[in-house]
Amino acid sequence: MENKIKILFICLGNICRSPAAEGAFRNLVKERNLEYKFEIDSCGTSGYHDGELPDPRTRKVALKRGIELTHRSRKLRQSDLDNYDYLLVMDDQNFREVISLMREDSVKNKVFKFAKFRSDSGSDIVPDPYYGTEKDFESVQNLVEDCSIGFLKFLGE
Ligand code: 4NP
């Protein structure tokens, strides 16, 4: 369906935060029977982990919430900037990177920091858990689930 809302979650490696966000948002949309409305994907600005499944810690924490992550890491493509309606980045570095790739100012308003949609007044970044502990992965999972609810509300659902 061509008129689906196209949403792309973006981080650096596309093995921790953005696949967790993609999974959480996908799961929420499924629970609400809204799958027909959305096209959802994730990618990384780096390509360091091209073709890989999400980090085992990301998968383990998601699975505890009943979310199976099968996404394969891919690098952000120039065409994504045109094709997607919403580009949801995890931190300031991702934000700057995506904006810098945009050739027209008119598309820059598609880029949002995902953590702006959180329900509390905490930081607007989703911190990178890669060098952290399982607790950091749990925090990321909690945050992306919370932001998914906020973002879906923002979309009017
Ligand atoms: P992500 O985490 O951006 O949330 O997927 C990272 C994963 C890998 C690396 C950096 C961040 N890395 O440098 O390999």
Side-chain angles (χ1 to χ4, degrees):
M1 219 166 66
E2 270 314 300
N3 51 4
K4 280 186 176 182
I5 299 173
K6 298 184 185 68
I7 297 162
L8 185 63
F9 294 95
I10 305 170
C11 63
L12 176 62
N14 191 215
I15 55 168
C16 299
R17 294 165 292 174
S18 61
E22 179 196 342
F25 189 72
R26 229 182 243 295
N27 187 57
L28 178 66
V29 158
K30 187 166 182 237
E31 280 173 4
R32 306 250 180 113
N33 291 315
L34 294 169
E35 284 161 300
Y36 69 98
K37 285 197 176 182
F38 300 104
E39 191 176 308
I40 305 160
D41 196 10
S42 67
C43 69
T45 56
S46 71
Y48 296 155
H49 296 274
D50 248 5
E52 292 178 23
L53 281 170
D55 186 284
R57 298 163 293 178
T58 303
R59 280 188 283 152
K60 181 180 169 189
V61 165
L63 202 53
K64 282 205 260 174
R65 317 291 173 95
I67 303 170
E68 193 186 355
L69 301 179
T70 58
H71 176 78
R72 294 280 174 172
S73 178
R74 73 166 179 91
K75 190 176 180 184
L76 175 69
R77 296 185 278 261
Q78 188 71 37
S79 59
D80 291 327
L81 307 175
D82 296 319
N83 292 346
Y84 284 86
D85 300 306
Y86 294 95
L87 302 160
L88 296 162
V89 298
M90 300 298 134
D91 63 26
D92 293 318
Q93 188 191 338
N94 309 150
F95 188 87
R96 282 194 297 272
E97 183 79 33
V98 173
I99 291 285
S100 75
L101 293 170
M102 289 178 149
R103 295 173 183 142
E104 286 175 43
D105 283 347
S106 60
V107 291
K108 291 182 180 167
N109 61 1
K110 301 202 281 191
V111 191
F112 293 86
K113 286 196 228 172
F114 191 41
K116 291 222 186 234
F117 298 101
R118 68 193 294 164
S119 61
D120 61 19
S121 56
S123 161
D124 67 357
I125 75 156
V126 180
D128 186 352
Y130 191 59
Y131 294 105
T133 65
E134 192 165 317
K135 203 161 155 269
D136 299 310
F137 282 80
E138 294 275 2
S139 304
V140 165
Q141 182 66 33
N142 289 334
L143 182 55
V144 297
E145 286 181 20
D146 182 49
C147 295
S148 292
I149 295 168
F151 180 57
L152 196 57
K153 233 178 243 165
F154 168 79
L155 294 177
E157 296 292 348

